[in-house]
Amino acid sequence: MSSSTTAAAAGATSTLQPGGSAKPTMYRILLSISIVHLLNDSMQSVIPSIAGVLEESLKLSMSQIGWLLFAINFTSSVMQPVVGMYTDRRPSPFMLPMGMAFSLIGMLTLAFAPSYMTVMIAVIFVGLGSAAFHPEGSRVSSMAAGSRRGLAQSIFQVGGNVGQSLAPLFAKFIFIPLGQFGAVYFTAVAAAAIAVQMYVASWYRGVLASGGRTARKAVTRTIDPARKKQLQFAIIVLILLVFCRSWYNAMITGYYQFFLRDHYGVTLSDAQTYIFLFSIAGAVSTFFGGPLADRFGRKNVIWFSMIGSAPLAILLPYVSLTWAYVLLIVIGLILLSSFSVTVVYAQELFPGKVGTVSGLIVGLAFGLGGIGALAFGYLIELYGLKSVMIASSFLPILGILTFLLPSDRTIREWTKDV
């Protein structure tokens, strides 16, 4: 092990010691894993962004597009909790570069895919790569967080959200001019991500080798058995909130481009700008959501993100193109401010299960988004795009369920140090 790796491991170990010892935040590791998150999610988000390209080049129906969106989201979501449960028992630094290798294969296959089924295979590989990355990426974020868990999770998640926000620009400047072949450029993105992952994995191995696993167990928290049912109810409510947010997000990122084309006469290329504004606003709010939650409480931020975005979402289908720009930015800022917060909130509900819980909540967000995309595809064919767009705009109102969640202080009372 190099001296730099040893120093990194020692520094990380100090964040994990019991008692009152210093818990420094490892910003260079957080920045590295955030960059990889950006690269990973930019590749994953390419799939919904090029739906219009695939529709025209392969003559796909809306339901076929829905199946592709379902495949990318559901593949990653189903495997994330599985990977998380495995790595909770056996932390696996090698999982980080291995996931990127799957994504590289997927993007290379997509570039030369001659048929719908080949595209589906490519999409599944990208989904599997994302599933392998997210639980261990979230674990690295937690290990490097020190005492600033909200900020650390925001740094990690903002990379992913920025990557997602770039996907419409990739569609506009790469895929619409070049078609599917533009995916070949993302093999270089995957290769760069593998290189950064090797650095992070080296630090990760150093932490484990220096006793980080033992230290981590020494300061973990556990559930009060008398409160187990309340905590299970809370996670169910949280999942319902993630459901609402994910379905609305799937509608905007997957189908709003077609709404703009059919009802405003906007080209698919120009429509990507609207999707980009929504996504980049969400990336900005993801970063600030964590620190705001550290200050004002996680439940409060979750509540505001849902209820605050609801009236604007309802207005969106009826406004002019100019106001659509404004509303998409504001909705993205408010709605996605809770993206990282829900992950940390779930980790507080079930301490000691970082990989499993992160895989469940983040994976669930993608999985439910995939189910939503599939359902919306069929509903659009049955009832029309505008009707489904209007109906989906009411989803954030269900954020009123947030009042059923226990407060941050209550959760701390329901768990204890061991």
Side-chain angles (χ1 to χ4, degrees):
M1 185 186 303
S2 67
S3 59
S4 60
T5 302
T6 303
T13 303
S14 69
T15 73
L16 303 165
Q17 298 301 319
S21 58
K23 296 182 178 182
T25 301
M26 305 295 290
Y27 287 105
R28 57 192 173 84
I29 298 300
L30 290 174
L31 179 60
S32 297
I33 201 69
S34 181
I35 289 172
V36 176
H37 201 180
L38 184 156
L39 300 176
N40 178 86
D41 282 24
S42 67
M43 288 184 285
Q44 180 171 337
S45 298
V46 156
I47 307 304
S49 292
I50 64 170
V53 173
L54 296 173
E55 180 208 27
E56 294 180 353
S57 64
L58 298 177
K59 309 303 179 185
L60 303 182
S61 66
M62 286 294 172
S63 58
Q64 286 177 310
I65 290 174
W67 276 110
L68 286 176
L69 299 180
F70 173 80
I72 184 65
N73 290 293
F74 194 71
T75 302
S76 64
S77 70
V78 167
M79 293 304 298
Q80 278 195 45
V82 175
V83 173
M85 286 187 287
Y86 172 80
T87 56
D88 277 339
R89 298 188 190 97
R90 299 184 62 183
S92 306
F94 73 90
M95 197 74 72
L96 296 170
M98 186 183 76
M100 283 300 134
F102 273 94
S103 295
L104 190 154
I105 293 171
M107 297 310 292
L108 186 62
T109 303
L110 178 62
F112 298 98
S115 66
Y116 175 69
M117 288 309 300
T118 312
V119 170
M120 181 67 75
I121 292 171
V123 164
I124 290 172
F125 265 97
V126 175
L128 289 173
S130 182
F133 163 72
H134 279 97
E136 283 298 82
S138 190
R139 185 188 309 281
V140 168
S141 171
S142 181
M143 292 168 68
S147 60
R148 308 195 67 182
R149 294 186 63 192
L151 175 62
Q153 191 64 221
S154 287
I155 293 173
F156 173 62
Q157 295 294 350
V158 76
N161 282 19
V162 169
Q164 292 174 34
S165 70
L166 292 176
L169 298 185
F170 295 145
K172 181 180 179 71
F173 296 110
I174 297 177
F175 287 100
I176 290 177
L178 300 179
Q180 289 173 231
F181 181 74
V184 75
Y185 292 104
F186 287 85
T187 59
V189 173
I194 290 172
V196 179
Q197 291 285 53
M198 295 299 293
Y199 167 72
V200 174
S202 177
W203 175 84
Y204 188 169
R205 285 195 300 268
V207 172
L208 297 180
S210 62
R213 187 184 308 178
T214 301
R216 203 162 53 246
K217 289 182 179 178
V219 296
T220 192
R221 297 174 66 82
T222 189
I223 299 169
D224 182 348
R227 301 295 184 180
K228 190 172 183 180
K229 289 185 178 179
Q230 288 97 321
L231 289 166
Q232 289 173 340
F233 177 76
I235 198 70
I236 290 172
V237 173
L238 189 66
I239 287 171
L240 288 173
L241 295 172
V242 172
F243 168 92
C244 298
R245 187 185 65 201
S246 299
W247 273 50
Y248 185 76
N249 187 67
M251 186 64 191
I252 296 298
T253 58
Y255 294 101
Y256 191 67
Q257 58 185 304
F258 301 114
F259 183 80
L260 290 170
R261 181 190 66 184
D262 296 347
H263 294 274
Y264 295 98
V266 176
T267 65
L268 286 176
S269 177
D270 290 340
Q272 302 305 318
T273 303
Y274 291 81
I275 310 303
F276 169 74
L277 290 173
F278 172 80
S279 299
I280 195 65
V284 171
S285 67
T286 294
F287 177 77
F288 289 106
L292 286 173
D294 286 340
R295 181 177 178 84
F296 298 107
R298 296 179 180 99
K299 179 181 175 178
N300 292 333
V301 172
I302 295 171
W303 172 276
F304 173 73
S305 74
M306 301 295 293
I307 299 302
S309 61
L312 303 178
I314 293 171
L315 282 175
L316 182 62
Y318 303 101
V319 300
S320 66
L321 279 174
T322 300
W323 277 105
Y325 273 117
V326 177
L327 288 186
L328 283 168
I329 292 172
V330 180
I331 292 170
L333 282 170
I334 298 175
L335 182 67
L336 297 180
S337 63
S338 64
F339 193 90
S340 64
V341 179
T342 51
V343 177
V344 178
Y345 187 91
Q347 290 173 351
E348 294 284 337
L349 287 173
F350 291 93
K353 301 292 184 183
V354 173
T356 304
V357 170
S358 299
L360 176 64
I361 295 300
V362 179
L364 195 66
F366 286 120
L368 291 176
I371 294 172
L374 178 60
F376 286 142
Y378 278 103
L379 289 172
I380 288 168
E381 291 184 350
L382 288 174
Y383 301 107
L385 180 57
K386 186 171 184 179
S387 297
V388 177
M389 182 71 201
I390 292 171
S392 68
S393 68
F394 287 87
L395 284 168
I397 287 181
L398 295 177
I400 196 170
L401 294 173
T402 306
F403 84 91
L404 297 173
L405 292 175
S407 68
D408 298 33
R409 177 181 294 179
T410 300
I411 293 174
R412 287 192 292 271
E413 292 172 353
W414 289 355
T415 60
K416 57 185 178 180
D417 292 328
V418 295

